Amino acid sequence: MSTTLPASGTRPARATSAVHPGYRTLWRWHFYAGLFVMPFLIVLAITGTIYCFQPQIEPLLYPHRLVVTPAHTPRLSADTLLARAQAALPVGAKPIRAHIEANPARSAEFVFALMNGRKESVYLNPYSGEVLGTLDVDGRFMQVDRMLHRKLLLGKPGELLMELAACWTLVMIGTGVALWWPRAAPGSHGSALRAALWPRLGAKGRPFWKSLHGVIGIWLAVGALAFVVSGLPWTGSWGKQFKALATRVSAGAPRGAWGGGLPLKSTLPGAQQHADARPPMQMDHSEHAGHDMASMPGMVMDDLPLPNVPWAVGAVRVPQSPDAASPATGRFTLDQVVARMRALGVASGYDVALPATASGVYTVSYFPADPQQERTVYLDQYSGTVLKDIRYGDYGAVSQVISYGTSLHMGRYFGLANQLICTAISLGLAALAVTGFVMWWLRRPARAVGAPSRERAAPPMRAWKAGLAILAVIFPLMGATIVGVLLLDRMLFGGSKNLSAS
């Protein structure tokens, strides 16, 4: 394909500064990355911004369930509230989770698994025991928003699409910075840099949109890169494999976190213990599995019905005792669990996954804004013995870094300011998608995709090719799509209409 350049004498300054060896190659890859990423960026930006303000939004959405008037009377015990919550539900509902909250203006919340497979949250006034209402766990607004953000409500295919969108955003950022980089004659670098950092407000048409697009992109580049990198460890394909690898090599939760490899046991009083030689069950670790899947052999923390689990312990095996021959007696109560956690220094804002079987354990997950305060605690359901208390200091180096990245990504680490910064980055990414679309629309050719033309003699660009190769190795799914893009580019778009670089 031939390359169409601006005619001699037409905007010579722009041609000198913009059209350089490799420019069209980078522009072509930027075009393809943006073409794929654009709709997903808008979804990610909107849903991410909403989820970032969950603490402020949910009380406004469900004020009659979540908010109560503080009273001078003592709060009812957790066990009393749990019993009243269960009495308000159909027969057969099984309690799977309790949220422990000391905020005097917040209701008590318990989650139950119903016979029809649904999970229902029950809210009560902690002072009077009055049932304030229920919510479908999966239909809750913030849960729907979260699933849109993670998987477009399409299950595994949507999860893979969003992961690919994040990976290709890295390409979009890298090529965008390279295209933006000011190139000017010697002695004019300062003015060129100033012009590149501020939009040409006096321009009209495509030059204005191009200037605005470039300026937004460069101001957001570092934040957007941090956003993508901190979100990738939570993806359902690459992120899950990376988490499992980090755990195995002690870069996540240390391998010795389980006391020399001995199994944790919640021991039935008077029961004869025996080793279970069966291999772990291979299971589909779906997000927040139901009550019938909790505390089974081979389960990991991510499978428990908990809303938030620290990344470092997500792939850690859930304790499971051997089969028991006698019925359980003298079970530790929820009030005793609360008292035990208070003695351990955790008084509020945590969730307890209740034992699902006679050999299960109480699993406490504390996921606060400060990563160094994260706690995962296992308690024997009969004696209340602390079987394991995993803290930030027990994490591997990788998990410690990811814990901070997660808190910043979710806008939790330093309050409202963190939320506002995340909002600016998210909406800025959406603005990049919109301005990129406008630029394409203004220069689109008739009956063609509009990909930038290839260079007649492109330079080797070894650094760029090496970067793509590294991304393909780190993210194999993305590597497959890179090959696919190259093939489609040759087969379908090889004859696309030439476009100038301006």
Side-chain angles (χ1 to χ4, degrees):
M1 175 185 288
S2 62
T3 303
T4 302
L5 298 175
S8 177
T10 304
R11 291 183 292 186
R14 184 63 184 162
T16 300
S17 61
V19 182
H20 55 83
Y23 183 89
R24 289 182 181 278
T25 300
L26 293 173
W27 184 19
R28 198 172 181 87
W29 278 96
H30 189 73
F31 174 83
Y32 287 140
L35 190 68
F36 170 66
V37 166
M38 194 182 301
F40 299 109
L41 269 184
I42 294 175
V43 174
L44 284 168
I46 295 173
T47 57
T49 299
I50 292 173
Y51 195 75
C52 188
F53 286 93
Q54 179 183 11
Q56 292 94 333
I57 292 176
E58 281 210 310
L60 298 176
L61 292 176
Y62 312 113
H64 301 299
R65 296 177 180 89
L66 299 183
V67 182
V68 299
T69 302
H72 297 294
T73 58
R75 298 166 68 99
L76 297 177
S77 70
D79 289 296
T80 299
L81 292 169
L82 176 58
R84 295 195 182 186
Q86 184 151 20
L89 292 176
V91 176
K94 297 180 180 180
I96 59 175
R97 185 176 88 225
H99 179 70
I100 306 303
E101 181 63 64
N103 185 338
R106 281 301 180 91
S107 61
E109 178 185 1
F110 300 93
V111 179
F112 292 80
L114 306 184
M115 296 293 288
N116 60 9
R118 292 174 52 226
K119 286 178 286 186
E120 196 88 1
S121 291
V122 181
Y123 300 90
L124 304 96
N125 186 312
Y127 305 102
S128 66
E130 174 192 1
V131 176
L132 303 175
T134 64
L135 284 175
D136 182 346
V137 171
D138 294 325
R140 190 167 173 161
F141 176 80
M142 279 300 171
Q143 180 65 9
V144 173
D145 178 77
R146 182 183 185 184
M147 291 300 100
L148 268 171
H149 188 77
R150 294 190 62 179
K151 55 184 71 175
L152 296 173
L153 299 179
L154 296 176
K156 194 63 177 180
E159 200 167 39
L160 294 176
L161 278 173
M162 294 307 254
E163 181 176 319
L164 276 175
C167 292
W168 277 95
T169 299
L170 297 175
V171 176
M172 190 182 70
I173 294 171
T175 54
V177 172
L179 291 171
W180 166 90
W181 200 264
R183 291 171 175 84
S188 60
H189 291 289
S191 59
L193 182 61
R194 284 192 296 272
L197 291 174
W198 190 256
R200 298 164 59 190
L201 300 178
K204 295 182 179 180
R206 188 170 179 274
F208 165 76
W209 290 103
K210 184 177 182 180
S211 173
L212 183 63
H213 182 84
V215 170
I216 293 175
I218 202 61
W219 280 105
L220 288 179
V222 174
L225 181 64
F227 241 43
V228 174
V229 172
S230 60
L232 278 169
W234 290 90
T235 56
S237 177
W238 182 86
K240 183 177 290 185
Q241 297 302 318
F242 179 61
K243 183 188 299 182
L245 175 64
T247 302
R248 283 197 298 270
V249 302
S250 299
R255 183 174 294 179
W258 303 113
L262 296 176
L264 298 185
K265 299 179 181 180
S266 183
T267 307
L268 288 166
Q272 181 181 2
Q273 300 180 19
H274 60 276
D276 188 351
R278 293 171 298 176
M281 296 174 61
Q282 299 300 316
M283 313 189 72
D284 177 16
H285 295 160
S286 57
E287 183 170 354
H288 310 317
H291 182 272
D292 58 336
M293 292 181 62
S295 300
M296 293 178 64
M299 298 290 286
V300 297
M301 281 292 296
D302 279 339
D303 298 314
L304 292 182
L306 293 165
N308 291 299
V309 172
W311 187 89
V313 300
V316 168
R317 293 276 293 276
V318 176
Q320 178 70 21
S321 73
D323 296 335
S326 63
T329 57
R331 180 174 172 174
F332 213 58
T333 67
L334 184 56
D335 282 314
Q336 289 174 307
V337 171
V338 173
R340 180 61 53 86
M341 292 306 301
R342 187 180 299 113
L344 292 173
V346 181
S348 176
Y350 61 90
D351 290 276
V352 184
L354 306 177
T357 65
S359 57
V361 297
Y362 284 104
T363 302
V364 177
S365 179
Y366 182 48
F367 191 61
D370 184 356
Q372 294 202 35
Q373 303 302 316
E374 292 178 2
R375 299 278 286 276
T376 303
V377 182
Y378 300 97
L379 301 175
D380 184 290
Q381 69 164 306
Y382 303 105
S383 67
T385 300
V386 178
L387 301 174
K388 191 61 190 177
D389 183 355
I390 304 176
R391 309 189 185 200
Y392 177 85
D394 298 317
Y395 299 170
V398 171
S399 291
Q400 290 184 343
V401 172
I402 290 176
S403 295
Y404 271 98
T406 297
S407 189
L408 291 166
H409 184 98
M410 297 175 67
R412 294 155 27 105
Y413 187 54
F414 50 93
L416 180 60
N418 196 168
Q419 291 175 309
L420 294 176
I421 290 174
C422 289
T423 299
I425 295 174
S426 294
L427 298 184
L429 287 170
L432 282 178
V434 171
T435 54
F437 174 81
V438 172
M439 288 167 59
W440 170 81
W441 183 263
L442 291 175
R443 67 170 175 77
R444 74 195 188 286
R447 296 182 298 278
V449 175
S453 58
R454 295 192 185 92
E455 296 184 73
R456 181 178 292 109
M461 302 184 69
R462 295 184 181 90
W464 165 246
K465 293 176 182 177
L468 280 182
I470 291 172
L471 285 176
V473 170
I474 296 176
F475 306 107
L477 184 63
M478 182 189 181
T481 60
I482 288 175
V483 174
V485 168
L486 285 170
L487 293 175
L488 287 174
D489 180 49
R490 295 291 179 181
M491 294 167 53
L492 301 180
F493 306 135
S496 61
K497 185 175 179 179
N498 291 338
L499 297 171
S500 71
S502 58

